[in-house]
Amino acid sequence: MKKKIWIAGHKGMVGSSLVRIFKKSKYKILTINKSKIDLRNQIKVENWVKKNRPNIIIIAAAKVGGIKHNSTFPANFIYDNLTISSNIINAAYKYRTNKLINLGSACIYPKLCKQPIREEYLLTGELEKTNEAYAIAKIAALKMCEYYNKQYGTNFLSLQPTNLYGYNDNFNLKSSHVLPALIRKFYEAKINNKKNVEIWGTGKATREFMFVDDLASAIKFLISKKFKIDVINVGSGEEISIKKLAEKIKSIVGYDGKIIF
C-alpha cells in the first residue's frame, strides 16, 4: 500500500508544484479544497486527519502576499497563518503522522541579519515591520514544531525557503511579491506604451530568488532523510539587486521606456 502524503494548500504556487513533483512518486497524494474544509477550523481539520490518516503532511497552505498586502491586513495575516499551522501541527501529533514538513519564509529572520543567513540567526534582532505579522505567525509555527519534537518525540521539520517564483504565481499588483509585480508592471507598460515604470525603493536592495519546482524537489529529497535539527534553510545561494532584476525583466519584455526608483 502506498504511503499517503497530504499536501495542504495544493492549489497555491508551492502546493501545485508539490503535486506535480509527487505525482510520479511512490506516495498517494491527498488534497482538500478550502471550499469544503476551512483549515482555520480546528475541529474540521482534526476530523479530516483522523479519517484520512496521512503518513506525511506538508503545510504549504498559508495567507501570503507582498509588502502592500502585508502592511494593509496584518491582523488577517497573523490570525490566518497562526490558526492554519497550529491546527495542522496539533492534528499531526494527535493522530500520529510519521513526518510533517512545515514551510516558513525567509522573512522570519531579523531585518538586519548577517549574510548569508544561517538558521541560528533566528530571533537575534528586530523583524522587518512591513511583514512582521506574517513573520511572527511563521516563527510560532516553527517553534511549535520544535517544541512538539522536544516534548512528544514527533518528526516535524520546518523549511525556510527564500523568495519563490514560478507557475501559478500571483500577479495582482495589490498583493503580489516583487518578481511577479515587476513582470506585470513592465508588461503593462509595454502594451500601453508608457514612458516610464515606477519601482519602490532605490533598487539597491538585494534578494535571493528560487524557482518553485526547485523547492518542491528539495522537499521530496528531504522527506526520506532524518535530521537532528528542526529548521533548514532552502535557497539558491545567489542574490540579485532589485535594480538588476528590473533591468533584466525590462530587457526580456522588450520595454523601451525608463525606470524610476
Side-chain angles (χ1 to χ4, degrees):
M1 184 181 292
K2 283 188 174 183
K3 288 185 177 181
K4 294 180 285 185
I5 182 168
W6 174 28
I7 300 173
H10 70 285
K11 289 193 173 181
M13 182 171 67
V14 176
S16 59
S17 176
L18 287 166
V19 171
R20 289 195 303 273
I21 294 292
F22 280 99
K23 262 187 177 179
K24 297 179 180 180
S25 72
K26 60 184 177 181
Y27 300 102
K28 178 183 178 182
I29 299 173
L30 301 179
T31 60
I32 51 173
N33 293 323
K34 60 182 176 181
S35 58
K36 292 185 177 180
I37 295 180
D38 185 345
L39 296 179
R40 297 170 298 180
N41 186 310
Q42 183 182 9
I43 294 173
K44 288 185 177 181
V45 170
E46 290 198 356
N47 287 341
W48 190 90
V49 174
K50 181 181 180 180
K51 179 182 177 182
N52 291 277
R53 301 286 175 151
N55 304 102
I56 299 167
I57 296 175
I58 304 175
I59 307 179
K63 182 176 180 63
V64 297
I67 292 173
K68 183 176 177 61
H69 213 49
N70 272 270
S71 300
T72 308
F73 305 104
N76 298 95
F77 272 86
I78 196 166
Y79 174 77
D80 288 358
N81 288 298
L82 275 174
T83 51
I84 289 169
S85 57
S86 60
N87 286 346
I88 296 175
I89 291 166
N90 192 62
Y93 152 69
K94 195 171 181 180
Y95 297 106
R96 299 181 181 180
T97 297
N98 299 120
K99 188 160 195 172
L100 178 141
I101 303 286
N102 167 51
L103 295 178
S105 167
C107 73
I108 66 168
Y109 292 105
K111 179 181 180 181
L112 302 177
C113 200
K114 289 192 294 183
Q115 301 292 328
I117 298 174
R118 298 178 64 86
E119 290 86 349
E120 58 262 34
Y121 297 162
L122 181 65
L123 298 176
T124 59
E126 290 187 7
L127 299 167
E128 165 59 47
K129 289 294 182 183
T130 54
N131 55 15
E132 185 181 72
Y134 177 76
I136 288 173
K138 287 298 181 180
I139 291 170
L142 178 156
K143 285 295 181 182
M144 191 172 179
C145 288
E146 177 186 327
Y147 297 144
Y148 272 55
N149 288 344
K150 182 179 179 180
Q151 184 173 338
Y152 300 122
T154 49
N155 187 15
F156 298 166
L157 179 66
S158 293
L159 303 184
Q160 312 310 312
T162 189
N163 300 282
L164 300 170
Y165 68 92
Y167 306 118
N168 208 20
D169 211 337
N170 172 23
F171 290 87
N172 186 324
L173 290 177
K174 292 182 179 179
S175 58
S176 61
H177 290 103
V178 60
L179 204 153
L182 289 176
I183 292 173
R184 179 164 179 177
K185 280 189 174 185
F186 281 108
Y187 170 74
E188 290 189 349
K190 178 179 172 63
I191 63 173
N192 294 316
N193 296 313
K194 290 185 177 180
K195 293 182 178 180
N196 56 67
V197 169
E198 187 177 286
I199 298 172
W200 294 354
T202 63
K204 294 180 181 179
T206 59
R207 294 288 184 273
E208 181 178 330
F209 294 97
M210 183 169 64
F211 182 48
V212 68
D213 283 8
D214 290 336
L215 171 63
S217 295
I219 293 169
K220 185 180 179 183
F221 170 77
L222 291 167
I223 272 184
S224 60
K225 308 296 179 183
K226 290 186 178 181
F227 297 93
K228 293 182 180 179
I229 53 176
D230 305 301
V231 183
I232 297 177
N233 290 340
V234 183
S236 63
E238 298 179 7
E239 290 188 343
I240 186 172
S241 70
I242 298 300
K243 182 179 180 181
K244 285 186 177 180
L245 177 65
E247 290 170 346
K248 186 182 286 286
I249 294 172
K250 175 186 174 182
S251 174
I252 292 169
V253 171
Y255 173 65
D256 297 324
K258 294 182 178 180
I259 300 174
I260 298 174
F261 290 99

